[in-house]
Amino acid sequence: MHKQQNKFRILLRKLYFGDGKLSLFWRWGLFTFDIITIGYFLITATLDLSHTALDLHQIDYIIGFVLLTDYFFRIYISARPVKSCFEATALADLLVILSLFAAAFIENLGFLRVVRMLRLLRSYHVLKDLRNASKWFAKNEEIIHSALNLFVFIFVISAIVYVLEAHLNPAINSFMDALYFTVTTLTTTGYGDITMSDTLGRGITIIIMIFGVALFLRLVQTIFRPAKVRYPCPTCGLNRHDPDAVHCKHCGNTLKIPSEGDWQ
């Protein structure tokens, strides 16, 4: 029995961390499933489907079962299972899984589905596969990361606003209302058609304006700033340089960064 468990564990580790075709197919399948579920979460979170004839509970259960299986597999093959359970990504997955199964009893927990976005592109092996499969992704990896972080940040803040204010603020009736309020606050537009009148809401708004706006601007800046080139300096090891760098800013060593001569 113990040998069979070891064989099963070895097989799972090959699927999640191996370099074979089956391993790549497995990880790309999980990545594709993540993309589909993210789209599903966004649609169900931002659109009002309460008046439709669609019963989404069965879809929730199917997605929840797949995510729960993946969650247990990752914990099972981890070198430190207990520590892995308390990692941020594992806790985020667990919250989403609970929300999917609890949606049949408490509809308001559906907002937790957006937390699943935190899992998108967070696996090192998925990133490695994407870099190897796409030159465009490898070239624009930092921009993609920054755009994703900005996207996740906005939606998570909107989820917090929606959960805490949906039953207190008559102007916030859906996730889209919370998203609209968050974006207008972060961009300092402030149209004033949705405002916070209660103490909790005003406290949230203050936090968004003090911390959120600064972080929002920082994330936007990382998207549009000139990209850094990854090239390890042979002397000091610094591996991020300006695209047109001739000398290492850390040690002054002459660099020979490969280029196509198209920098401006």
Side-chain angles (χ1 to χ4, degrees):
M1 184 67 178
H2 184 66
K3 291 183 178 180
Q4 292 180 348
Q5 291 180 349
N6 286 337
K7 289 182 178 179
F8 182 66
R9 191 169 185 267
I10 293 173
L11 175 61
L12 287 178
R13 290 189 61 85
K14 287 183 178 180
L15 290 176
Y16 278 93
F17 307 119
D19 296 324
K21 292 184 178 180
L22 182 60
S23 301
L24 293 177
F25 179 79
W26 174 266
R27 292 199 295 273
W28 275 101
L30 292 176
F31 178 75
T32 303
F33 181 79
D34 276 346
I35 296 294
I36 294 174
T37 52
I38 290 299
Y40 170 76
F41 293 159
L42 290 177
I43 292 174
T44 55
T46 57
L47 298 181
D48 184 9
L49 302 176
S50 59
H51 300 295
T52 65
L54 296 175
D55 185 6
L56 301 178
H57 290 321
Q58 293 183 353
I59 300 178
D60 289 346
Y61 296 153
I62 294 174
I63 295 177
F65 176 77
V66 175
L67 297 184
L68 184 62
T69 303
D70 176 57
Y71 174 83
F72 279 123
F73 280 170
R74 292 181 184 276
I75 297 300
Y76 181 65
I77 63 177
S78 175
R80 298 179 178 179
V82 177
K83 182 179 179 181
S84 298
C85 290
F86 292 96
E87 292 180 354
T89 52
L91 293 175
D93 281 347
L94 191 59
L95 285 175
V96 175
I97 293 170
L98 292 175
S99 73
L100 289 168
F101 288 111
F105 309 99
I106 308 175
E107 292 292 342
N108 289 336
L109 285 181
F111 82 96
L112 289 174
R113 300 171 186 175
V114 298
V115 181
R116 181 64 183 179
M117 286 186 291
L118 297 174
R119 285 293 300 159
L120 188 60
L121 299 179
R122 283 294 181 263
S123 170
Y124 167 78
H125 294 278
V126 171
L127 291 177
K128 182 182 71 172
D129 295 338
L130 287 174
R131 284 196 297 267
N132 294 336
S134 173
K135 293 182 179 179
W136 179 86
F137 180 88
K139 184 178 180 180
N140 299 280
E141 183 178 354
E142 290 189 12
I143 298 177
I144 294 173
H145 265 295
S146 299
L148 177 66
N149 290 335
L150 177 62
F151 182 76
V152 171
F153 172 72
I154 291 175
F155 272 83
V156 169
I157 294 296
S158 300
I160 295 174
V161 172
Y162 175 64
V163 171
L164 298 179
E165 285 294 310
H167 300 290
L168 299 176
N169 195 324
I172 298 180
N173 300 307
S174 65
F175 184 87
M176 185 60 71
D177 292 335
L179 178 61
Y180 171 78
F181 169 80
T182 301
V183 172
T184 56
T185 303
L186 289 174
T187 57
T188 66
T189 304
Y191 290 115
D193 50 345
I194 298 181
T195 59
M196 298 297 183
S197 57
D198 59 283
T199 303
L200 177 61
R202 289 178 176 176
I204 296 173
T205 305
I206 292 173
I207 294 175
I208 293 176
M209 288 189 292
I210 294 177
F211 300 102
V213 173
L215 183 56
F216 173 79
L217 295 175
R218 177 60 178 169
L219 291 174
V220 172
Q221 181 185 9
T222 58
I223 295 176
F224 294 102
R225 72 180 180 182
K228 294 289 186 178
V229 174
R230 292 184 179 274
Y231 180 83
C233 174
T235 301
C236 68
L238 184 68
N239 63 359
R240 294 185 64 192
H241 309 275
D242 293 329
D244 58 349
V246 178
H247 300 280
C248 177
K249 290 184 177 180
H250 186 263
C251 67
N253 181 62
T254 301
L255 300 175
K256 297 180 180 180
I257 303 176
S259 71
E260 299 176 359
D262 57 350
W263 290 318
Q264 298 179 356

